[in-house]
């Protein structure tokens, strides 16, 4: 398999697994412990690695969430807690989830090794969120925690590559969301108000952006040796199947 083929094949599992910890009830309780709303936690836990920047900068880095919705969450959280503290709490929850859910899986240590080799080799140019998360100090943890962090980092790398590809395709962020599988419901969930443009003409450009995303992300997968791409896919598939069976992956 080529690096681009491995990137394309691994992307669905990485996008799913790299987000699971954020929907864990224990993670969501962090918002209450920090004294902020769920939305403020969602925005700041994702973008807090950027540090104390303006909401406009956060909106530009996140890309697919409406700027007004970003500002609502970011500014509300900043009145109570420093953004980097929320990011650190989020990372700690990722490690906790990984130790609980991924550590028991056969091959957890190998999955962590492959993921961190890929993310360590990734080019962060034009991907500020990925760069910021990769620079965050990781709490101590076992193989499961490291695998969880590796999934988070690779998910952010794919997200950053997709944002670059969407802009190169001539799509606005809201157009990309509308042309995606969730359509208008997804746009509304991301804070974009109607009226919305027609979706039909946007789909082809979004599909092109998906292909470019794989191409951009593929350079990181060159860090894998012969046969390791297939091994990575097997480990990701096994982890996703296990978590779905256990009800962890909703």
């Amino acid at each position: 398999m080529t690096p681009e083929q491995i990137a394309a094949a691994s992307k669905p599992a990485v996008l799913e697994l790299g987000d699971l910890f954020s929907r864990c009830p224990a993670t969501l309780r962090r918002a209450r412990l920090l004294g902020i709303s769920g939305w403020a936690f969602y925005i700041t836990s994702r973008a807090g690695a950027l540090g104390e920047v303006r909401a406009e900068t956060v909106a530009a880095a996140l890309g697919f969430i409406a700027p007004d919705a970003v500002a609502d969450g970011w500014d509300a959280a900043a009145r109570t807690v420093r953004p980097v503290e929320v990011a650190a709490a989020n990372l700690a929850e990722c490690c906790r989830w990984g130790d609980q859910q991924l550590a028991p899986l056969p091959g957890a240590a190998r999955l962590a090794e492959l993921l961190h080799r890929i993310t360590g080799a990734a080019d962060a140019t034009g991907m500020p969120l990925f760069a910021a998360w990769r620079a965050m100090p990781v709490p101590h943890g076992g193989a499961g925690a490291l695998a969880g962090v590796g999934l988070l980092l690779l998910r952010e790398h794919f997200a950053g590559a997709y944002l670059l590809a969407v802009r190169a395709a001539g799509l606005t962020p809201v157009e990309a969301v509308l042309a995606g599988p969730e359509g208008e419901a997804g746009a509304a969930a991301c804070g974009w108000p109607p009226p919305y443009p027609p979706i039909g003409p946007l789909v082809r450009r979004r599909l092109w952006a998906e292909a470019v995303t794989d191409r951009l992300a593929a350079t990181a997968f060159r860090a894998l040796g012969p046969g390791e791409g297939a091994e990575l896919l097997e480990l990701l598939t096994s982890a996703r199947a296990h978590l779905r069976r256990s009800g962890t992956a909703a």
Side-chain angles (χ1 to χ4, degrees), residues 201-230:
L202 307 175
V203 174
R204 181 175 295 180
R205 278 186 282 168
R206 189 190 70 83
L207 293 175
W208 182 86
E210 290 279 4
V212 172
T213 299
D214 299 336
R215 202 168 306 137
L216 290 172
T219 57
F221 288 81
R222 294 174 187 167
L224 299 180
E228 289 183 331

Side-chain angles (χ1 to χ4, degrees), residues 156-241:
E156 287 294 352
H157 184 59
F158 274 124
Y162 183 54
L163 183 56
L164 290 173
V166 161
R167 302 304 289 128
L171 290 168
T172 65
V174 66
E175 287 175 337
V177 175
L178 285 167
E182 296 182 359
E184 292 187 358
C190 289
W192 300 101
Y196 302 122
I199 296 174
L202 307 175
V203 174
R204 181 175 295 180
R205 278 186 282 168
R206 189 190 70 83
L207 293 175
W208 182 86
E210 290 279 4
V212 172
T213 299
D214 299 336
R215 202 168 306 137
L216 290 172
T219 57
F221 288 81
R222 294 174 187 167
L224 299 180
E228 289 183 331
E231 184 183 5
L232 172 69
L233 293 175
E234 183 178 344
L235 290 169
L236 289 171
T237 300
S238 175
R240 182 160 63 168

Side-chain angles (χ1 to χ4, degrees), residues 18 34 49 62 70 79 81 83-84 93 112 126 152 160 181 188 210 215 230 236 239:
L34 292 169
L62 291 174
V70 170
R79 289 192 289 268
V81 61
V84 71
E93 290 299 329
L152 182 156
E210 290 279 4
R215 202 168 306 137
L236 289 171

Side-chain angles (χ1 to χ4, degrees), residues 42-51 53 57-65 74 87 124-136 152-161 163:
Y42 173 79
I43 294 295
T44 312
S45 66
R46 173 105 186 272
L50 294 170
V53 298
T57 302
V58 176
L62 291 174
F64 298 105
I65 302 175
W74 183 259
T125 303
M127 303 180 187
L129 268 184
F130 169 68
W133 274 110
R134 190 168 61 177
M136 286 281 291
L152 182 156
L153 290 176
L154 190 51
R155 186 177 188 275
E156 287 294 352
H157 184 59
F158 274 124
L163 183 56

Side-chain angles (χ1 to χ4, degrees), residues 63-152:
F64 298 105
I65 302 175
D68 287 347
V70 170
D72 285 345
W74 183 259
D75 292 340
R79 289 192 289 268
T80 302
V81 61
R82 293 172 61 233
V84 71
E85 292 179 23
V86 182
N90 193 50
L91 191 58
E93 290 299 329
C94 177
C95 291
R96 174 201 55 76
W97 179 86
D99 276 334
Q100 290 179 354
Q101 302 296 335
L102 299 177
L105 303 181
R110 180 61 171 161
L111 177 61
E113 177 191 349
L114 294 175
L115 288 170
H116 282 275
R117 199 188 310 163
I118 294 165
T119 56
D123 184 353
T125 303
M127 303 180 187
L129 268 184
F130 169 68
W133 274 110
R134 190 168 61 177
M136 286 281 291
V138 179
H140 293 294
L146 292 176
V149 173
L151 288 167
L152 182 156

